Amino acid sequence: RLWRAVRRTSRPARPRGAVIRIDARTQRLERDGRVVGKRSLTFPGPDASAAVTVVVPCYNYGAYLQDAIDSVLRQTITAVEIIVVDDGSTDEGTRTCLDRLATDPRVRVIRQDNRGLPHARNRGIDAAHGEYVCCLDADDMLGPTYLEQAIAVLEADRSIGFAYAWVQRFGDDDEVWETHDFDPDEVLIGNFTSGAALFRRDDWISAGGYRGEMIGGFEDWEFWVRLASLGRRGRTIARPLHLHRIHGRTMTATAKAMGAELTGRMRRLNPQFYDDRRFRRRLRALRSSATAT
């Protein structure tokens, strides 16, 4: 029954009437459906020449952290800033790894008391200088062309607000998760967007960042809902460029066990998105108003 529902909601959209056009660099969709201008935010900042900031939150994952960092350093674009946020790690091996990374001029380490994943991501993004941001889990990795291809997607169509790839699982599993283009109806059933999606930092500001209320899981899923509510579309890259490590009981498994509670929070935090079908239809109708040069 669930699979039939997913198939129904994943069919191509057939918006009625005129197509809404939006340029994500200069416009956003208000909650009443109007397309309005947004404040101009220019990145990178004056003291760094980064196109992309990769934020890597870490809590006691020192055994995997260097692999994550190395995968970012192997990217085919070089204008990349790496920020590791230590979310109060207590594991001695992790703390040793973080101390070593803090001496690497290619990596910036920020330390904080343990506050949870949403706060750690926000802390890193707040300190970022890149126009684009990718949040990479400390036990995951990126394929070498991931950032280059994701940037190309966002530059080619300005109504795209977040881009992501298929996910290659490794470790205790070797399956490929074929992520979907973001669909406002399908997302009511499940999250089909990778947590390592690339997005614009100014959209993170407009959306209000990751919500602290989502500690426990689904913080990325809820964030994609809010980006979509601002008029941003999500686009997948049909290649397994996000490498997701499966090992024991992860945060993903914990979040699934709390699924009903977490999805209830998402609905309470985004009532218009969940309850207003007309609003979701407008989101499905969005198209780019400009072609990148």
Side-chain angles (χ1 to χ4, degrees):
R1 185 176 302 171
L2 176 60
W3 174 241
R4 288 197 297 270
V6 170
R7 290 187 62 184
R8 284 198 300 271
T9 56
S10 61
R11 290 170 183 166
R14 295 181 180 177
R16 297 179 180 178
V19 171
I20 305 168
R21 299 189 179 277
I22 191 167
D23 183 337
R25 292 180 177 176
T26 59
Q27 297 172 317
R28 57 171 285 178
L29 192 70
E30 282 286 13
R31 294 198 176 275
D32 60 6
R34 292 179 298 120
V35 177
V36 300
K38 73 171 184 178
R39 57 177 173 155
S40 177
L41 300 168
T42 303
F43 299 103
D47 55 346
S49 56
V52 184
T53 299
V54 178
V55 175
V56 187
C58 180
Y59 177 70
N60 291 343
Y61 268 6
Y64 314 110
L65 180 58
Q66 190 63 58
D67 288 344
I69 299 301
D70 288 344
S71 77
V72 179
L73 294 174
R74 288 193 295 266
Q75 293 298 299
T76 51
I77 63 170
T78 57
V80 179
E81 174 186 47
I82 303 174
I83 297 177
V84 176
V85 180
D86 172 24
D87 191 32
S89 295
T90 57
D91 171 69
E92 183 177 351
T94 297
R95 295 172 68 87
T96 299
C97 180
L98 289 163
D99 289 342
R100 183 176 67 252
L101 286 172
T103 66
D104 189 332
R106 301 169 297 178
V107 180
R108 188 155 34 127
V109 176
I110 298 174
R111 300 179 188 269
Q112 65 176 29
D113 294 336
N114 181 252
R115 300 186 61 199
L117 186 56
H119 293 289
R121 285 177 172 170
N122 286 338
R123 179 75 181 275
I125 300 170
D126 188 59
H129 298 100
E131 177 181 358
Y132 299 104
V133 174
C134 169
C135 292
L136 177 64
D137 289 345
D139 53 344
D140 285 359
M141 295 186 290
L142 301 177
T145 63
Y146 178 84
L147 294 178
E148 180 179 2
Q149 293 196 48
I151 289 174
V153 170
L154 268 65
E155 287 295 315
D157 184 344
R158 294 179 184 174
S159 68
I160 302 299
F162 46 111
Y164 43 96
W166 287 359
V167 179
Q168 173 67 65
R169 297 184 174 99
F170 70 102
D172 294 344
D173 191 358
D174 61 358
E175 293 184 350
V176 174
W177 173 32
E178 297 183 359
T179 56
H180 301 182
D181 287 353
F182 188 92
D183 184 289
D185 290 325
E186 186 179 57
V187 77
L188 302 182
I189 300 170
N191 180 27
F192 300 95
T193 300
S194 159
L198 186 81
F199 52 88
R200 296 180 179 88
R201 188 184 173 205
D202 62 344
D203 283 340
W204 171 83
I205 294 173
S206 296
Y210 289 90
R211 279 199 164 118
E213 296 94 327
M214 298 306 297
I215 286 179
F218 295 178
E219 70 290 323
D220 52 342
W221 185 357
E222 193 275 336
F223 183 59
W224 312 138
V225 166
R226 276 184 294 121
L227 285 187
S229 297
L230 292 177
R232 309 297 178 264
R233 294 191 297 144
R235 175 69 53 79
T236 192
I237 301 167
R239 297 180 181 87
L241 300 176
H242 175 192
L243 310 178
H244 177 52
R245 190 189 305 264
I246 305 296
H247 56 100
R249 185 172 178 82
T250 63
M251 292 179 64
T252 301
T254 302
K256 288 180 178 179
M258 299 174 58
E261 177 185 346
L262 293 171
T263 52
R265 288 183 207 171
M266 291 171 58
R267 180 179 289 275
R268 289 193 297 273
L269 291 168
N270 303 278
Q272 183 178 35
F273 186 93
Y274 279 85
D275 300 333
D276 189 340
R277 292 183 180 180
R278 294 181 61 185
F279 182 64
R280 293 198 304 274
R281 281 200 297 269
R282 292 186 70 85
L283 296 178
R284 289 174 66 99
L286 292 175
R287 294 294 183 270
S288 177
S289 64
T291 301
T293 58

